[in-house]
């Protein structure tokens, strides 16, 4: 342990004078020794370059309120070669701003792996080290994070010397401030150099005089800056928290969007109009029938669009990309899928983005398969169109032809309509084919191999059961099984059937016909959807056909009724005219007081006949309304039919005579049962008067016979007879097979007769050879 005196001598020996700095410590040797040892080790003997040390000391002294340090260390710089202006510039330089230190360090690290030698005095590198040292001194806490980097750069030894030096400066500043009485005037360095320095740079005086205020301002400015930085930091942190929340939300909404895209089966695409690059996702690949991840560009996309739609899409895309528009894109078009050639409907939506110059820079969007929707719409349109077409005709064959023409080629390549004729034969009514050559072939097929009505499948089965039949895929084995012979097979193969369906045309519980749709060349196969559509169409068509049939029947009924009214008017007028004439003559004769002569009697007989005839006509008309309204009432009574036949035939003798007919009556003994007398008389009268009318001049025979429980009544003539084709028809209301000019009549007699016989549980038939006569046969049950 040295005495204060010994230490003072050591200091004087070292500096050549005793700096006033140590004076306050002289009272306590331990304090003095401590200060001196620190000064010696950290400052005087510190291996850091002396100029660097001094400059740093001078600059850092600005943080001491007592001017001793700043003046003495500035003065120390002069003998080291710094000019007064340089000293002022050094002292005036500001502490490195916040943030500059990172820049300084990056520069240090970029250029120097680790310093071998201390950088040259005044070099940029030394300048950086200086700034960093200042930073460490001023912002001790914040220098923490870069301490390790500087240590690596300087190497541990040099680094430690620097730290020791900075710590020493701190000690000095604290020491001096604790002893404000310390005066630089007493220091040799000031005594020797302050005068010349101030002379050289007078502004130094002002600097030394006001530096504490300046430093205070600097500190305040720095604190402000730090507060702002802190606030900015807080803001940045808040912002980053918000951002990360938003990013999270975005990620979530992205996930939701992906989910939405997937559940909506939307594919997404991204087109760069500048480079022409087109990117799309795996769903787009699937929609367009491309292998996943296959290269795709705009021309590939265009090539997939069917020819009819391509130009429209191209124009729409060009319009979307054109500057000045709203960039919105929306199209629906058909594509032909690359892998299987299937036609699909695609709906695409997109948005184009433009840069400030209005150039399209990005065009993104989605695609979705809307085939089902489009087909449903097409089907609805088709059915609406069909309804219009079906409503335009009341001719049933014409209606069916219209249906078939509507179906080909939209729904089928070939369409046939089959109906069952009166003989129960299946008959192809309509046959429409898109290809005239195939049309000829199919007609040949039908001519040579007519549909077999009893076939267990196909059209006959549909006509029988009303159930539809769908064969999605017609195989060659199927054709072989179905073919009746080699030629049949050849024709069917040549027709190239691929898929077919048959549905019944059904109305009011009746099957009117069958509609068959066939696909040949075109690729699509029939499925449930087409079957439903065909059934829908068939329902509408059947109603139209039924209407047409009803209309035809109504037309026929109207025609018949009109004919009947004409005939009836004529029939009624003839006897009325004759009656009028006879009555007038009789009245005139009576006025003249003439006696009743033979002629008068004959006139009166004529009158009676005419009145009788009128009575019959009126009765017939009354019967029509009775029968059609179901008011025909039978009043059975016990009677002998043989007797009744003889009686009625007797009444017809005069008429037979007039007609030139010999009337033969062949009846057995009594045939007794309970029948309606008047109605049986009416039956016999109708048949007899027809026989006399249409068999005039020839014999007429009435015969009665019995067999078991049945009674047979026959009326046979040898007159004009009836054509076989009309034999069924003559029993219908108003139906006649002769001309009105030659034979009078209302066409009601046979109809009324059959209605009466049927009501009695019997039957009425005719057998006739034209030109040779007719036999009408009534069979009646007894009682
Ligand atoms: P109308 O004799 O008043 O015409 P009908 O109903 O009695 O009416 O007979 C219907 C049609 O049947 C006749 O118009 C005629 O063409 C034919 N017909 C009926 N009876 C005979 C018959 N005996 N011979 C030939 N044709 C007949």
């Amino acid at each position: 342990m040295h005495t204060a005196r010994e230490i003072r001598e050591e200091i004087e020996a070292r500096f050549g004078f005793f700096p006033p700095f140590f004076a306050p410590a002289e009272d306590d040797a331990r304090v003095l020794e401590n200060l001196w040892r620190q000064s010696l080790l950290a400052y005087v003997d510190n291996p850091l370059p002396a100029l660097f040390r001094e400059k740093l000391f001078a600059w850092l002294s600005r943080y001491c309120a007592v001017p001793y340090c700043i003046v003495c260390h500035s003065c120390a710089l002069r003998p080291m070669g710094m000019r007064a202006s340089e000293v002022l510039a050094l002292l005036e330089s500001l502490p490195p701003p916040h943030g500059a230190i990172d820049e300084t360090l990056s520069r240090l690290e970029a250029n120097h792996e680790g310093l071998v030698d201390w950088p040259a005095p005044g070099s940029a590198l030394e300048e950086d080290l200086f700034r960093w040292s200042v930073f460490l001194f001023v912002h001790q806490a914040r220098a923490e994070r870069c301490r390790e980097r500087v240590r690596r750069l300087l190497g541990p030894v040099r680094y430690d010397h620097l730290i020791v030096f900075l710590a020493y400066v701190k000690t000095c500043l604290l020491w001096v401030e604790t002893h404000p009485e310390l005066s630089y005037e007493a220091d040799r360095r000031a005594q020797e150099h302050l005068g010349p320095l101030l002379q050289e740079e007078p502004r130094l005086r002002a600097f030394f005089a006001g530096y504490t205020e300046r430093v205070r301002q600097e500190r305040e400015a720095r604190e402000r800056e730090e507060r702002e930085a802190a606030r900015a930091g807080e803001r940045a942190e808040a912002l980053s928290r918000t951002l990360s929340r938003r990013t999270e939300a975005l990620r979530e909404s992205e996930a939701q969007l992906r989910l939405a895209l997937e559940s909506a089966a939307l594919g997404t695409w991204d087109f760069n109009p500048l480079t022409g690059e087109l990117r799309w996702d795996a769903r787009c690949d699937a929609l367009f029938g491309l292998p996943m991840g296959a290269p795709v560009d705009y021309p590939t996309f265009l090539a997939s669009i069917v020819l009819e739609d391509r130009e429209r899409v191209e124009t729409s895309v060009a319009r979307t990309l054109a500057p000045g528009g709203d960039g919105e894109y929306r199209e629906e078009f058909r594509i032909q899928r690359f892998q299987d050639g299937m036609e699909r409907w695609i709906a695409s939506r997109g948005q184009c983005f433009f840069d400030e110059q209005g150039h399209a820079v990005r065009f993104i969007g989605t695609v979705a398969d809307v085939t089902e929707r489009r087909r449903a719409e097409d089907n609805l349109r088709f059915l609406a169109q069909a309804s219009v077409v079906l409503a335009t005709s009341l001719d049933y064959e014409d209606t069916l032809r219209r249906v078939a023409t509507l179906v080909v080629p939209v729904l089928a390549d070939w369409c046939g309509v089959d109906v069952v004729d009166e003989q129960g034969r299946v008959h192809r009514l309509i046959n429409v084919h898109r290809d005239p050559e195939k049309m000829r072939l199919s007609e040949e097929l039908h001519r040579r191999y007519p549909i077999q009505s009893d076939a267990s499948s196909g059209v006959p089965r549909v006509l029988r059961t009303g159930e539809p039949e769908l064969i999605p895929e017609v195989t060659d084995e199927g054709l072989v099984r179905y073919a009746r012979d080699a030629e049949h097979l050849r024709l069917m193969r040549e027709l190239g059937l691929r898929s077919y369906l048959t549905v019944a045309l059904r109305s009011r519980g009746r099957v009117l016909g069958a509609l068959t749709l066939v696909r040949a060349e075109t690729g699509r196969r029939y499925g449930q959807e087409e079957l439903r559509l065909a059934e829908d169409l068939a329902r509408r068509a059947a109603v139209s056909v039924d209407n047409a049939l009803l209309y035809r029947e109504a037309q026929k009924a109207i025609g018949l009724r009109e004919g009947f009214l004409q005939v009836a008017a004529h029939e009624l007028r003839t006897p009325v005219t004759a009656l009028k004439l006879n009555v007038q003559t009789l009245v005139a004769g009576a006025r003249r007081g003439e006696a009743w002569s033979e002629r008068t009697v004959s006139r009166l007989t004529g009158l009676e006949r005419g009145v009788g005839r009128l009575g019959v006509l009126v009765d017939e008309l009354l019967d029509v309304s009775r029968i059609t309204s179901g008011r025909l009432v039978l009043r059975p009574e016990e009677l002998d039919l043989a007797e009744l036949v003889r009686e009625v035939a007797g009444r017809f003798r005069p008429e037979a005579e007039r007609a030139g007919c010999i009337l033969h009556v062949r009846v057995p003994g009594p045939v007794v049962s309970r029948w309606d007398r008047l109605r049986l008389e009416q039956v016999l009268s109708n048949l007899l008067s027809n026989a006399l009318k249409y068999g005039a001049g020839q014999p007429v025979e009435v015969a009665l016979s019995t067999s078991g429980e049945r009674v047979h009544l026959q009326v046979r003539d040898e007159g004009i007879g009836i054509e076989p084709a009309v034999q069924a028809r003559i029993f219908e209301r108003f139906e006649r097979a002769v001309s009105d000019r030659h034979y009078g009549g209302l066409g009601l007699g046979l109809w009324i007769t059959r209605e009466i016989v049927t009501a009695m549980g019997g039957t009425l038939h005719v057998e006739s050879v034209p030109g040779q006569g007719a036999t009408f046969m009534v069979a009646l049950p007894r009682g």
Side-chain angles (χ1 to χ4, degrees):
M1 174 79 186
H2 296 88
T3 61
R5 191 180 172 76
E6 282 167 351
I7 300 164
R8 185 186 167 107
E9 280 168 6
E10 199 182 329
I11 296 171
E12 276 173 346
R14 194 64 194 243
F15 288 118
F17 71 102
F18 184 71
F21 174 78
F22 295 104
E26 269 188 299
D27 296 342
D28 189 327
R30 274 176 308 178
V31 176
L32 184 63
E33 178 143 38
N34 187 316
L35 263 187
W36 171 236
R37 294 285 158 231
Q38 274 195 59
S39 300
L40 201 59
L41 291 170
Y43 175 52
V44 182
D45 287 342
N46 193 315
L48 293 179
L51 181 59
F52 180 80
R53 259 172 18 215
E54 269 326 306
K55 272 162 72 180
L56 199 53
F57 209 144
W59 196 90
L60 293 176
S61 299
R62 61 195 357 251
Y63 296 113
C64 184
V66 180
Y68 175 82
C69 284
I70 199 162
V71 172
C72 291
H73 286 283
S74 297
C75 288
L77 289 170
R78 190 167 171 266
M80 290 177 148
M82 272 181 82
R83 286 204 301 275
S85 58
E86 288 171 339
V87 173
L88 181 64
L90 170 74
L91 295 178
E92 278 188 328
S93 68
L94 294 171
H98 190 76
I101 202 65
D102 282 326
E103 213 179 291
T104 310
L105 275 172
S106 307
R107 211 160 38 233
L108 281 169
E109 280 173 339
N111 297 317
H112 311 279
E113 269 297 285
L115 288 171
V116 179
D117 296 318
W118 189 263
S123 67
L125 185 53
E126 200 202 43
E127 203 65 359
D128 279 342
L129 273 175
F130 184 88
R131 287 154 71 102
W132 186 80
S133 306
V134 166
F135 185 78
L136 183 59
F137 188 89
V138 181
H139 303 292
Q140 200 183 329
R142 245 173 282 144
E144 194 79 39
R145 63 196 169 87
C146 50
R147 205 163 275 161
E148 211 23 61
R149 295 162 75 184
V150 180
R151 192 168 191 270
R152 248 196 336 269
L153 184 81
L154 289 177
V157 176
R158 270 194 299 242
Y159 176 79
D160 286 347
H161 283 303
L162 178 62
I163 298 301
V164 166
F165 176 70
L166 291 174
Y168 172 68
V169 173
K170 270 213 165 130
T171 306
C172 292
L173 301 186
L174 196 62
W175 177 254
V176 171
E177 277 191 352
T178 330
H179 301 284
E181 73 281 7
L182 276 175
S183 155
Y184 57 83
E185 283 100 341
D187 193 289
R188 176 81 61 82
R189 288 166 294 185
Q191 287 161 358
E192 280 180 10
H193 302 290
L194 185 61
L197 273 180
L198 293 180
Q199 209 169 7
E200 204 183 313
E201 182 50 271
R203 282 184 298 152
L204 267 176
R205 185 188 302 276
F207 182 83
F208 288 141
Y211 82 92
T212 45
E213 176 56 23
R214 186 191 175 104
V215 168
R216 196 185 57 77
Q217 281 174 7
E218 273 174 27
R219 187 182 295 143
E220 271 175 19
R222 206 170 53 241
E223 275 169 7
R224 230 180 2 258
E225 185 195 310
E226 277 172 11
R227 267 200 309 277
E228 260 160 37
R231 268 205 298 277
E234 274 166 28
R235 275 203 302 277
E237 211 165 289
L239 197 67
S240 99
R241 271 200 305 276
T242 314
L243 260 179
S244 70
R245 266 202 311 275
R246 296 236 168 112
T247 314
E248 191 48 41
L250 194 67
R251 214 172 288 131
E252 256 174 46
S253 71
E254 250 178 32
Q256 277 169 356
L257 179 67
R258 247 198 318 281
L259 204 70
L261 287 174
E262 278 183 9
S263 56
L266 288 173
T268 57
W269 48 264
D270 189 338
F271 179 59
N272 184 336
L274 301 173
T275 62
E277 188 194 358
L278 174 64
R279 278 180 298 144
W280 69 21
D281 64 2
R283 200 173 284 279
C284 286
D285 284 335
L287 284 180
F288 284 79
L290 282 171
M292 222 205 279
V296 59
D297 52 11
Y298 186 56
T300 316
F301 160 72
L302 278 183
S304 72
I305 302 174
V306 301
L307 220 53
E308 299 97 298
D309 295 355
R310 200 175 293 166
E311 203 184 307
R312 174 168 55 83
V313 175
E314 230 177 329
T315 316
S316 172
V317 169
R319 203 192 44 239
T320 310
L321 297 180
D326 58 2
E328 250 187 59
Y329 166 78
R330 201 182 271 240
E331 276 300 329
E332 282 192 15
F333 48 87
R334 282 162 298 166
I335 60 158
Q336 200 169 14
R337 292 217 307 214
F338 285 107
Q339 267 168 348
D340 53 16
M342 287 240 297
E343 193 179 289
R344 309 293 295 174
W345 270 100
I346 298 289
S348 184
R349 276 187 181 202
Q351 179 68 52
C352 180
F353 298 94
F354 301 92
D355 63 11
E356 286 96 50
Q357 284 82 48
H359 297 127
V361 288
R362 198 173 176 198
F363 184 25
I364 56 174
T366 58
V367 284
D369 188 320
V370 291
T371 313
E372 298 307 314
R373 183 194 21 97
R374 288 298 296 224
R375 290 222 175 117
E377 283 171 7
D378 285 351
N379 290 352
L380 272 180
R381 228 190 333 272
F382 173 74
L383 287 174
Q385 212 181 343
S387 301
V388 173
V389 165
L390 289 171
T392 52
S393 175
L394 275 170
D395 178 86
Y396 108 104
E397 207 171 318
D398 185 47
T399 300
L400 288 173
R401 187 168 303 283
R402 280 163 189 268
V403 172
T405 327
L406 200 72
V407 162
V408 176
V410 182
L411 257 187
D413 296 316
W414 176 20
C415 173
V417 180
D418 299 280
V419 290
V420 187
D421 66 13
E422 275 137 13
Q423 280 75 45
R425 280 184 310 230
V426 177
H427 161 64
R428 175 138 293 198
L429 192 68
I430 311 284
N431 201 23
V432 175
H433 209 295
R434 76 187 311 182
D435 176 351
E437 180 51 27
K438 293 279 169 68
M439 175 83 174
R440 197 192 51 73
L441 256 176
S442 85
E443 272 167 3
E444 188 186 337
L445 183 92
H446 271 101
R447 192 174 41 76
R448 293 175 62 177
Y449 301 94
I451 295 174
Q452 289 168 323
S453 309
D454 54 352
S456 60
S457 66
V459 169
R461 195 187 66 83
V462 174
L463 286 170
R464 268 199 312 275
T465 64
E467 293 299 318
E469 197 167 289
L470 166 68
I471 306 292
E473 183 92 50
V474 176
T475 58
D476 195 60
E477 300 88 81
L479 289 182
V480 171
R481 259 200 316 277
Y482 186 76
R484 287 180 223 165
D485 58 31
E487 180 59 10
H488 193 200
L489 181 63
R490 186 189 68 77
L491 282 171
M492 285 196 296
R493 275 183 179 151
E494 209 170 318
L495 273 168
L497 319 177
R498 289 281 171 274
S499 181
Y500 85 82
L501 61 86
T502 302
V503 290
L505 292 166
R506 206 175 2 190
S507 178
R508 293 186 291 146
R510 285 179 308 145
V511 175
L512 305 172
L515 176 73
T516 300
L517 311 187
V518 181
R519 278 214 198 279
E521 299 76 15
T522 51
R524 264 176 68 195
R525 303 280 178 270
Y526 289 129
Q528 290 302 323
E529 189 194 327
E530 283 85 0
L531 182 66
R532 271 196 300 279
L533 181 62
E535 283 187 305
D536 219 333
L537 174 70
R539 248 193 310 279
R540 287 159 205 243
V543 170
S544 286
V545 168
D546 201 22
N547 284 346
L549 286 174
L550 285 172
Y551 178 74
R552 192 158 86 171
E553 275 171 28
Q555 284 299 95
K556 199 173 137 201
I558 290 168
L560 281 172
R561 198 180 55 197
E562 270 166 11
F564 160 73
L565 285 176
Q566 252 176 13
V567 171
H570 177 77
E571 282 295 299
L572 292 168
R573 209 167 146 258
T574 315
V576 168
T577 313
L579 279 175
K580 211 169 129 191
L581 204 74
N582 282 331
V583 169
Q584 279 168 353
T585 314
L586 285 171
V587 170
R591 284 217 175 102
R592 286 198 300 273
E594 272 176 31
W596 283 25
S597 64
E598 196 54 34
R599 259 185 84 193
T600 310
V601 173
S602 139
R603 275 223 167 84
L604 284 169
T605 318
L607 262 181
E608 191 196 10
R609 254 206 322 280
V611 171
R613 176 76 195 128
L614 272 179
V616 169
L617 286 172
V618 170
D619 280 347
E620 278 192 344
L621 289 175
L622 278 174
D623 278 343
V624 172
S625 80
R626 251 188 224 124
I627 292 168
T628 46
S629 62
R631 284 186 286 117
L632 178 71
V633 184
L634 297 177
R635 295 192 175 79
E637 60 185 274
E638 194 158 286
L639 58 90
D640 176 6
L641 189 55
E643 173 73 41
L644 187 130
V645 170
R646 267 194 299 272
E647 206 182 298
V648 174
R651 266 189 251 147
F652 269 85
R653 293 230 178 259
E655 197 176 328
E657 216 170 286
R658 269 198 309 279
C661 298
I662 302 163
L663 187 59
H664 300 286
V665 180
R666 267 187 245 287
V667 288
V671 179
V672 181
S673 189
R674 285 180 67 80
W675 283 297
D676 184 319
R677 173 181 292 276
L678 288 175
R679 290 298 177 190
L680 277 183
E681 279 182 20
Q682 201 180 350
V683 166
L684 198 53
S685 302
N686 281 346
L687 296 178
L688 268 173
S689 67
N690 277 352
L692 297 174
K693 182 158 69 174
Y694 303 111
Q698 306 292 333
V700 169
E701 185 191 83
V702 187
L704 182 68
S705 64
T706 57
S707 71
E709 277 309 289
R710 290 185 97 75
V711 179
H712 301 277
L713 178 69
Q714 285 195 358
V715 178
R716 192 166 66 80
D717 64 68
E718 292 170 23
I720 58 171
I722 308 150
E723 290 290 334
V726 297
Q727 282 178 11
R729 190 157 64 76
I730 54 170
F731 294 101
E732 298 301 327
R733 201 160 37 148
F734 312 132
E735 290 284 1
R736 312 195 67 221
V738 289
S739 106
D740 302 340
R741 269 193 292 133
H742 296 111
Y743 300 96
L746 298 176
L748 285 170
L750 282 182
W751 178 70
I752 294 169
T753 305
R754 196 190 57 182
E755 291 296 316
I756 293 170
V757 170
T758 309
M760 290 178 166
T763 55
L764 171 65
H765 286 107
V766 66
E767 270 176 12
S768 170
V769 176
Q772 291 182 23
T775 306
F776 285 85
M777 296 164 292
V778 176
L780 284 174
R782 275 181 196 255

